[in-house]
Amino acid sequence: MTQNITSHPQDHRVMGFWRVWALAVGCAIGSGIFMMPTLLAPYGMLGLSSWLVAGAGTVLIALTFARLATRIPKTGGLYIYADSGLGSMAGFIVGWCYWISCLTAVASVAIAFISYLSSYVPILAEHNQAGLIACLGLVWLIIGLNIRSIKGSSIFQVITTILKIVPLLVLAVLGLVNMQPEMLPEYNPTELSPIAAISAATMLVMWSFLGIESATVPAGNVIKPEKTIPRAIIASVLTILVLYILVSLAVNLTVPANELKNSTAPFKLAAERLMGPVGALVVTLGALLSTLGSLNANTLMCGQMPMAIATNGLFPKQFKRLSKNGTPVFGLLVSGAIVSVLLVMNYTKGLIGAFTFLVMMATLATLMAYTLCAIAEFYFLKQDKPSAARNRAIVLGIGTFVYSLFCILGAGQEIVFYSFLLILLGLPVYALQRKPETNMSEELFTD
């Protein structure tokens, strides 16, 4: 069966280091960092230390992806790596997991947007029904934008990406200049062991790093992808890690932990203390723009990922049909319906509770995709000749695999159960759609 993920002619390779770096940084910085001080506050100093653990683990993941991008410099990213190394079923599961992560990301990012908006419109936080209606309206507004035009959606994405970093830098500088060390939380205020607390906090923090894998997706358009992508993906992880640690410290050195725990807009609290009402408004607008950009990017992927799977014959053909504007309308409408159900099911938890649950779901689904890609790397390594580089790659692959399992352990039984259930729901789709002759791996290596 012919599939559409192929090599690009050299003259289509227009993305250099900075464009790939910007893509990864822009996709990763979304709603996560703006809500993370609240989510980590219950874990005290161990919560802050989880930034270092997650950063080190994400570097391992980035290095693994860098090697896979060098081996298979083709458009498709995680989906292609798993399919090539483990077969069509693994590829389907990775694509399915990634779609689930995008769906839950849309729901959680919409909640983050409404959370920050509620600091100026209190009724959204005080009444779950009002917050739910606002979330649903926002989700369908962005879906409408993506249905209308990919061009309009991409222009919107560029603008929000440029604007999202500014409030983070401003807050980091002001917070560290005016820091109050006595504001730092206690070491471990939870009843968990230090290892269990760090594992749970790291699972939450990983949400803020999701998106770095986007650097591997447009490999067919990247100049010298085997060199450019590895450098760009490592640089993007280090950039994000430094920025996240600085702003997280700034907030924790400005706002007491007991206030952070119950805040729906922790950055606004910090900015208010540092710059007054005007500063709080500026930071809140920055957070709203950032979450809006992240919402748009994930909504775009909600249509693109099932379309890619359907194009390869492993998803119902309706998902690959495009409108006259070139948009996968059916996939976007189905995704919007699923997101709406997720929001309705979880909004009884309130803004912070619903956001936390959906973030864990999205992160776990993505980590499962990461884990399968790490296993796929073992398949390729088996075919390499013995060497020092191969031995280092084996250690790296094992480290990525172990780290992913460590994060999954921190998700808790409820999140793991629901995520596993969602994966099982996808297998009948695979069984019904799969054709005996489907074999993407052979085509990938004969392009």
Side-chain angles (χ1 to χ4, degrees):
M1 181 179 127
T2 302
Q3 47 83 26
N4 75 327
I5 303 177
T6 58
S7 297
H8 290 244
Q10 189 63 35
D11 59 359
H12 288 174
R13 298 185 184 276
V14 296
M15 296 182 69
F17 171 84
W18 289 111
R19 292 189 183 186
V20 179
W21 172 86
L23 175 65
V25 171
C27 287
I29 299 178
S31 66
I33 185 59
F34 288 99
M35 289 295 291
M36 208 50 64
T38 293
L39 303 188
L40 293 179
Y43 298 96
M45 287 298 294
L46 289 179
L48 285 175
S49 67
S50 66
W51 283 111
L52 296 174
V53 177
T58 306
V59 169
L60 287 176
I61 291 170
L63 288 169
T64 298
F65 286 155
R67 286 188 59 83
L68 288 168
T70 301
R71 293 181 185 278
I72 313 174
K74 298 177 183 291
T75 299
L78 281 68
Y79 180 37
I80 290 298
Y81 305 152
D83 183 275
S84 302
L86 302 174
S88 62
M89 184 174 182
F92 174 84
I93 291 175
V94 167
W96 178 264
C97 284
Y98 205 73
W99 187 40
I100 290 173
S101 75
C102 290
L103 292 171
T104 47
V106 168
S108 57
V109 173
I111 292 173
F113 182 94
I114 299 304
S115 293
Y116 264 84
L117 189 61
S118 70
S119 61
Y120 289 97
V121 188
I123 190 175
L124 297 176
E126 294 169 358
H127 301 280
N128 285 344
Q129 296 86 347
L132 174 60
I133 292 171
C135 273
L136 291 172
L138 177 63
V139 166
W140 284 102
L141 178 66
I142 298 298
I143 286 176
L145 175 65
N146 278 270
I147 287 176
R148 182 181 178 186
S149 167
I150 289 180
K151 180 180 179 181
S153 171
S154 61
I155 292 173
F156 179 78
Q157 183 64 31
V158 169
I159 295 171
T160 53
T161 299
I162 293 172
L163 294 175
K164 71 172 61 178
I165 296 178
V166 176
L168 293 176
L169 292 174
V170 171
L171 193 63
V173 172
L174 290 177
L176 294 175
V177 168
N178 298 281
M179 63 180 176
Q180 301 176 54
E182 66 274 11
M183 294 287 188
L184 287 174
E186 58 182 297
Y187 172 69
N188 182 15
T190 72
E191 296 180 356
L192 301 171
S193 68
I195 296 296
I198 290 178
S199 178
T202 301
M203 178 67 180
L204 289 170
V205 167
M206 271 304 297
W207 165 251
S208 300
F209 287 96
L210 300 189
I212 55 102
E213 72 283 345
S214 61
T216 68
V217 176
N221 297 107
V222 177
I223 300 168
K224 296 182 179 179
E226 67 281 358
K227 294 182 179 179
T228 302
I229 291 178
R231 291 201 300 262
I233 200 169
I234 299 303
S236 64
V237 170
L238 294 177
T239 301
I240 293 164
L241 177 59
V242 171
L243 184 60
Y244 283 174
I245 289 177
L246 289 178
V247 294
S248 185
L249 277 174
V251 172
N252 278 272
L253 287 166
T254 307
V255 183
N258 62 329
E259 291 186 35
L260 285 177
K261 288 179 183 178
N262 302 309
S263 174
T264 59
F267 274 44
K268 173 181 174 287
L269 273 180
E272 208 161 32
R273 287 172 175 267
L274 294 168
M275 297 175 281
V278 175
L281 177 60
V282 170
V283 168
T284 300
L285 288 174
L288 291 174
L289 285 171
S290 181
T291 51
L292 208 55
S294 179
L295 179 62
N296 182 66
N298 281 287
T299 300
L300 180 67
M301 290 303 297
C302 281
Q304 295 295 315
M305 181 53 72
M307 181 182 72
I309 304 174
T311 301
N312 291 317
L314 295 177
F315 225 50
K317 60 184 179 181
Q318 291 88 342
F319 283 89
K320 68 178 180 180
R321 291 175 181 168
L322 302 179
S323 69
K324 62 180 181 180
N325 295 323
T327 58
V329 176
F330 185 80
L332 287 168
L333 291 176
V334 171
S335 296
I338 296 173
V339 169
S340 298
V341 171
L342 286 173
L343 286 170
V344 171
M345 288 175 60
N346 289 286
Y347 231 89
T348 54
K349 302 174 185 290
L351 284 173
I352 296 174
F355 180 80
T356 304
F357 182 85
L358 290 169
V359 160
M360 298 280 268
M361 284 279 289
T363 305
L364 183 58
T366 307
L367 283 168
M368 288 180 176
Y370 288 174
T371 304
L372 285 173
C373 286
I375 296 172
E377 170 72 342
F378 294 141
Y379 169 80
F380 297 119
L381 288 169
K382 184 178 68 173
Q383 303 174 52
D384 291 347
K385 294 180 180 179
S387 66
R390 178 176 179 267
N391 293 336
R392 287 195 298 271
I394 291 174
V395 173
L396 175 64
I398 293 173
T400 301
F401 181 75
V402 171
Y403 171 73
S404 297
L405 290 182
F406 173 75
C407 290
I408 291 172
L409 179 65
Q413 294 181 353
E414 182 184 14
I415 302 293
V416 171
F417 170 77
Y418 282 116
S419 295
F420 184 67
L421 187 62
L422 286 172
I423 291 173
L424 288 180
L425 288 174
L427 294 183
V429 178
Y430 170 79
L432 290 170
Q433 294 296 133
R434 180 175 179 266
K435 296 178 176 60
E437 68 272 20
T438 299
N439 190 342
M440 287 175 57
S441 299
E442 290 181 6
E443 294 185 30
L444 283 167
F445 289 106
T446 56
D447 275 346

